[in-house]
């Protein structure tokens, strides 16, 4: 079935998956494969039914709990997703992926204390389970940091990491000297932090440090579980020239300014019908900024909005950094509709 799906023959793949289930109705992985087939076709109800059948067939298979939860969240059923993943964690208490997933769901519900405790279990799930022992220095245990140098590492999810940067403020207030290890592509975006901390990428030689910590562990270790109690950090992303330039562009637009982002170069799923999203705002004759590169110009033109929307990608200099430009543009927006968490 998987081989047929890889060849693009969905009908034959579905037949193979169903044949597998006639041979072994208790094969949770076969139910999951059938559910994934429906999910990629946008058939959410059929996908949910297949994943639920997989749980009933094999309650100890964590995969089906983890597949259902995002669908329920997308349908606005966050509490149902929490209940389901909690049930999976109770059945398989030793599975760190279920605890980490439950942690993320609880954080969405703003159940901070239990959410951060569960979220900590992600350190036992790839890729962090492979990365946590990359350096010999110990993980920080929350002890005194006065004049000690700590290496703070980005989470694999860039969006989560950008949101968690607000915890660097309390860490600096504790007297720590911070080395922030982030993806190379984000160096320019994080430039405003460089006056207070050292920014390094995986390509750089790290300066000496005494201990290390992952950004996502700071809320627990600093005993500040509610992120809303902290100001966002840094105060601005990107560089001053791009911020100033976009402020000038924003001053020419009528308020409120809306930023739209509907395609991502990463793993995030695009809106299935970008035309529908654009049509929603096609009669909005005020300020529209397309938080996209120039490759979507044809979609904008097809929606009849070529003269209505500024595309960030079209404003880039030849050697510009689109993340820096995005930061400058987003700073002017009153509302952002986005497909992935880094932009959000």
């Amino acid at each position: 079935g998987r081989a047929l799906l890889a060849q693009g023959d969905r009908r034959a793949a579905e037949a193979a998956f169903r044949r597998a289930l006639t041979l072994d109705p208790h094969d949770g992985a076969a139910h999951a494969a059938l559910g994934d087939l429906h999910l990629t076709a946008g058939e959410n109800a059929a996908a949910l039914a297949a994943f639920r059948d997989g749980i009933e067939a094999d309650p100890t298979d964590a995969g089906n709990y983890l597949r259902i939860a995002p669908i329920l969240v997308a349908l606005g059923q966050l509490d149902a997703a929490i209940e389901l993943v909690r049930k999976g964690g109770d059945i398989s208490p030793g599975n760190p992926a279920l605890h980490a997933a439950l942690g993320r769901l609880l954080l969405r519900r703003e159940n901070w204390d239990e959410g951060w405790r569960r979220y900590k279990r992600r350190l036992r799930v790839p890729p962090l389970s492979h990365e946590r022992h990359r350096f010999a220095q110990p993980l920080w245990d929350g002890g005194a940091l006065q004049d000690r140098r700590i290496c703070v590492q980005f989470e694999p999810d860039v969006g989560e990491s950008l949101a968690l940067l607000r915890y660097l403020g309390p860490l600096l207030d504790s007297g720590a000297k911070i080395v922030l290890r982030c993806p190379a592509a984000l160096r320019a975006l994080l430039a405003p932090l460089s006056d207070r901390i050292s920014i390094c990428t995986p390509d750089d030689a790290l300066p000496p440090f005494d201990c290390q910590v992952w950004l996502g562990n700071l809320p627990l270790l600093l005993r500040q579980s509610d992120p809303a109690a902290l100001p966002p950090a840094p105060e601005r992303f990107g560089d001053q020239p791009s911020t100033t330039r976009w402020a000038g562009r924003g001053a020419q637009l009528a308020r409120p300014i809306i930023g739209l982002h509907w395609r991502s170069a990463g793993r995030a799923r695009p809106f299935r019908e970008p035309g529908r999203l654009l049509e929603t705002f096609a009669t909005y004759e005020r300020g529209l900024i397309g938080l996209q590169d120039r490759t979507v110009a044809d979609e904008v033109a097809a929606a009849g909005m070529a003269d209505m929307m500024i595309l960030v990608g079209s404003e880039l200099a030849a050697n510009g950094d689109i993340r820096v430009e995005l930061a400058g543009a987003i700073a002017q927006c009153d509302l952002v509709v986005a497909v992935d968490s880094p932009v959000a």
Side-chain angles (χ1 to χ4, degrees), residues 107-157:
L107 293 175
R108 281 178 175 266
R109 176 52 70 207
E110 299 186 8
N111 182 339
W112 304 118
D113 292 333
E114 184 186 2
W116 291 122
R117 289 197 305 272
R118 299 271 189 171
Y119 181 70
K120 185 178 179 181
R121 298 285 286 274
R122 78 200 182 288
L123 295 180
R124 294 171 53 188
V125 182
L128 286 186
S129 59
H130 305 316
E131 289 286 328
R132 59 184 299 193
H133 300 300
R134 177 180 291 274
F135 305 112
Q137 289 86 343
L139 292 171
W140 181 46
D141 61 2
L145 283 173
Q146 186 67 38
D147 294 327
R148 299 183 71 198
R149 191 180 296 273
I150 183 170
C151 178
V152 180
Q153 303 209 53
F154 253 56
E155 300 288 327
D157 187 302

Side-chain angles (χ1 to χ4, degrees), residues 23-93:
L23 297 172
D24 183 3
H26 300 290
D27 186 346
H31 286 287
L34 187 59
D36 285 334
L37 185 73
H38 290 303
L39 190 61
T40 56
E43 301 163 352
N44 285 348
L48 274 173
F51 294 144
R52 291 190 186 280
D53 288 343
I55 289 175
E56 185 175 346
D58 183 3
T60 64
D61 185 346
N64 285 304
Y65 297 97
L66 297 175
R67 289 177 174 88
I68 289 178
I71 302 176
L72 293 177
V73 171
L75 294 173
Q77 300 176 33
L78 177 58
D79 289 336
I82 290 173
E83 181 181 355
L84 179 82
V85 177
R86 192 185 292 280
K87 175 184 175 182
D90 291 341
I91 293 173
S92 302

Side-chain angles (χ1 to χ4, degrees), residues 264-324:
S264 173
R267 294 177 299 169
R269 293 178 180 172
F271 288 111
R272 292 192 183 280
E273 299 180 51
R276 180 174 296 181
L277 174 74
L278 294 174
E279 288 168 9
T280 302
F281 295 92
T283 59
Y284 185 77
E285 298 177 354
R286 290 179 176 269
L288 284 174
I289 298 179
L291 305 174
Q292 301 286 167
D293 60 27
R294 58 175 61 88
T295 62
V296 301
D298 57 337
E299 294 176 357
V300 176
M305 302 170 67
D307 297 327
M308 299 171 52
M309 180 184 295
I310 302 170
L311 279 180
V312 168
S314 299
E315 303 290 311
L316 278 175
N319 59 347
D321 185 326
I322 193 166
R323 294 173 183 83
V324 172

